[in-house]
Amino acid sequence: MAEVAPVADKVTSYFYALLFVRHPDLRPLFPAAMDTQRDRLLKALLTAAEHIDNTDVLVSYLQNLGRGHRKYGTRPEHYPAVGECLLGALGRFAGPVWDGETEAAWVRAYTTISQVMIDAAAADELRAPAWWYAEVVSHDLRTPGVAVVTVRPDQPYPFLAGQYASLETPWWPRVWRHYSFASAPRSDGLLSFHVKAVPAGWVSSALVHRARPGDIVRLGPPAGSMTVDHTTDSGLLCLGGGTGIAPIKALVEDVAEHGQRRPVEVFYGARTDHDLYDIDTMLRLQQSHSWLSVRPIVDQLAHLQLPDAVREYGPWDEYDAYLSGPPGMIRNGVDALRDIGIPSARIRHDAVEDLVAARD
């Protein structure tokens, strides 16, 4: 890994060159424009290999990956081709450290990785479709760059508050991006997402600026483990930055629906007042539930970033922590929470950038 890291771009380019030359039948599984996709498959494989000794983390990650890859049309027979080209690319750029022993270790690692993914996909195929079609039923532009998009799936879509789904728009076929559910499961079956248009974000820009009621998107299966443990009565300490407030709102609704009166403390971070696009909703929830406290933290007013603000309150000994927002905020937030004594086992967040995938 250390040998190939400095030349990761070359490894990636060579990997896809091998894959598409040796197996041209696989090219249609990928987007027409590869610039947003090209490093994701390889990064996922390398990430899995790095965590090969951490069974709990690895198996959960690979099972989600295997289930998620059904929406691309991935079949068990595709895995050997990918493995062959992965080893070819690594062998080309790993230099003198690539010998028979190293190659054999990678063969074992990839065999394990692919089998977990294949088994998870096969099990999922028995109980759920590879994807759902969903009609946009409302499009609420909260700011010039943030929209709340609500869709109606074509069949029941089971999920848990705090999870996320991958979305594909009709404008960018085979380009999928992750968005968190902005509410707990609803009786009407509708799903809402908070989407921020980011520079060069094909999917996010399409959802914010082009999507309208009546448009049809595709949804991948739900994923993520940032869910509430209803077997305890611990308080919830929630940090939501930007559109990361969406799954936090869903968690609050989930606690309310379970009828629990456990304390929930929400810190809602934004750069400016204008970016607190969902503060009215959060304050209405606070008015309705005595156990809920919502604190907006605006960088430009307080000159205080979200993780630092949390240190000023507390103590948080009896709380489970939930973080959602930009990757940098999550990293800083985890560090801050550990510094004030919250053990890692009680800190929940989606793997930063879903381990490999940016939310753009």
Side-chain angles (χ1 to χ4, degrees), residues 43-309:
K43 273 190 178 179
L45 295 173
L46 297 181
T47 299
E50 273 192 297
H51 291 83
I52 200 73
D53 294 324
N54 190 345
T55 305
D56 291 343
V57 170
L58 179 67
V59 170
S60 175
Y61 170 62
L62 290 174
Q63 287 175 337
N64 271 337
L65 207 59
R67 288 189 288 265
H69 271 66
R70 289 182 59 213
K71 65 181 179 288
Y72 298 115
T74 305
R75 304 295 308 158
E77 58 268 23
H78 297 150
Y79 283 87
V82 171
E84 164 206 327
C85 297
L86 171 67
L87 266 63
L90 292 172
R92 170 75 179 267
F93 290 97
V97 301
W98 189 263
D99 54 20
E101 187 179 0
T102 305
E103 183 173 358
W106 273 98
V107 169
R108 289 194 301 273
Y110 183 77
T111 301
T112 299
I113 289 167
S114 57
Q115 197 58 55
V116 172
M117 292 178 66
I118 289 168
D119 290 347
D124 197 54
E125 196 167 1
L126 299 176
R127 62 179 185 82
W131 63 77
W132 287 252
Y133 288 105
E135 179 185 358
V136 176
V137 294
S138 73
H139 185 280
D140 178 11
L141 197 63
R142 295 288 181 85
T143 76
V146 174
V148 176
V149 181
T150 301
V151 304
R152 179 186 291 112
D154 62 339
Q155 53 187 306
Y157 187 101
F159 72 98
L160 299 174
Q163 290 190 303
Y164 60 87
S166 50
L167 269 71
E168 178 208 51
T169 71
W171 302 283
W172 298 108
R174 297 185 299 282
V175 179
W176 297 77
R177 293 294 179 268
H178 298 131
Y179 299 100
S180 297
F181 300 105
S183 67
R186 294 163 48 163
S187 58
D188 60 11
L190 298 181
L191 310 172
S192 291
F193 303 94
H194 294 187
V195 184
K196 180 179 181 180
V198 299
W202 295 3
V203 176
S204 63
S205 294
L207 287 171
V208 172
H209 300 304
R210 297 183 66 170
R212 293 294 180 269
D215 289 333
I216 303 295
V217 299
R218 284 203 295 169
L219 299 172
S225 57
M226 198 182 76
T227 55
V228 177
D229 180 358
H230 292 291
T231 64
T232 78
D233 57 3
S234 301
L236 274 65
L237 169 60
C238 302
L239 282 65
T243 52
I245 198 63
I248 301 301
K249 173 175 167 284
L251 295 177
V252 170
E253 292 178 356
D254 192 33
V255 172
E257 287 175 11
H258 276 76
Q260 296 164 308
R261 297 179 62 82
R262 56 204 289 188
V264 179
E265 303 277 342
V266 174
F267 289 80
Y268 182 1
R271 289 192 176 90
T272 68
D273 271 338
H274 185 65
D275 295 323
L276 293 170
Y277 66 90
D278 209 37
I279 189 62
D280 289 347
T281 305
M282 298 305 298
L283 293 177
R284 280 197 298 273
L285 284 169
Q286 180 179 246
Q287 288 177 339
S288 302
H289 305 295
S290 60
W291 42 262
L292 173 62
S293 174
V294 177
R295 295 186 178 92
I297 307 295
V298 180
D299 288 357
Q300 290 186 3
L301 295 180
H303 303 292
L304 193 66
Q305 294 203 330
L306 186 58
D308 301 317

